[in-house]
Amino acid sequence: MSQRPPSEPPRRVRVTSPLMGASRRAPSRPATREIDEQTGLGEVYMRSLLRSQLRLALSVLAATGVLLGGLPLLFALAPSVADAHLLGLPLPWLLLAVLVYPMLWLAARFYVRQAERNEAEFTDVLERH
C-alpha cells in the first residue's frame, strides 16, 4: 500500500454484495394477465368476485322478499291493519301501490352501489398484485 500525505482524506471504498452480479428475478405477472389467460390463479380471482357479487345479490333479494312477503303476512295476522283506511283508501292498497316502488328503487340503488364497490375493490386488489 502506498503512503499518502496526512492532509489527504482517505479514499472511499464501495462495498457491494456478491449477489449484485446475479441475474434478476423475472418480473411477476400482472393479475389481469392471470385472468386473461384463464390460469388457476385467475380463476381464483374471478371466483372471489363472483362469490361476493352473488352474496350481495342474494342478500338484497332476501331482504326485498322478506319486506314484500311480509306485507301480506302482516295483513293476514293483523286484520285491523288490513281493514284500516287512510285518505279514504284501504291501507293495504296504499302500501302495495305506494310503498313498494320506492322500496324496490332503494333496494336496486343499494345493489348497484355495492356491486360497483365490490368491483372497485377487486380492481384495487388486481392492481396491487
Side-chain angles (χ1 to χ4, degrees):
M1 235 165 117
S2 66
Q3 292 282 346
R4 285 186 242 153
S7 63
E8 191 177 317
R11 292 182 65 201
R12 291 186 148 198
V13 177
R14 184 172 156 191
V15 178
T16 61
S17 168
L19 299 178
M20 285 296 288
S23 63
R24 300 233 180 235
R25 187 173 57 156
S28 63
R29 295 165 45 117
T32 53
R33 189 169 173 192
E34 298 287 342
I35 293 171
D36 290 341
E37 293 179 2
Q38 298 179 353
T39 63
L41 182 58
E43 287 179 21
V44 170
Y45 283 133
M46 288 306 298
R47 216 175 308 128
S48 71
L49 174 64
L50 292 174
R51 193 177 309 123
S52 66
Q53 297 292 51
L54 179 63
R55 189 178 319 117
L56 172 64
L58 291 176
S59 63
V60 170
L61 181 65
T64 304
V66 165
L67 290 173
L68 287 178
L71 286 176
L73 186 62
L74 172 69
F75 302 146
L77 295 177
S80 61
V81 174
D83 295 335
H85 284 70
L86 185 66
L87 302 171
L89 295 170
L91 184 61
W93 283 51
L94 283 174
L95 289 176
L96 291 172
V98 176
L99 181 68
V100 168
Y101 296 105
M103 186 197 67
L104 288 174
W105 182 82
L106 288 172
R109 181 173 166 82
F110 173 78
Y111 174 79
V112 168
R113 291 186 67 168
Q114 292 300 109
E116 288 174 348
R117 193 187 88 203
N118 284 348
E119 291 171 3
E121 289 174 357
F122 179 73
T123 55
D124 287 345
V125 166
L126 289 183
E127 288 172 358
R128 277 184 270 158
H129 291 277

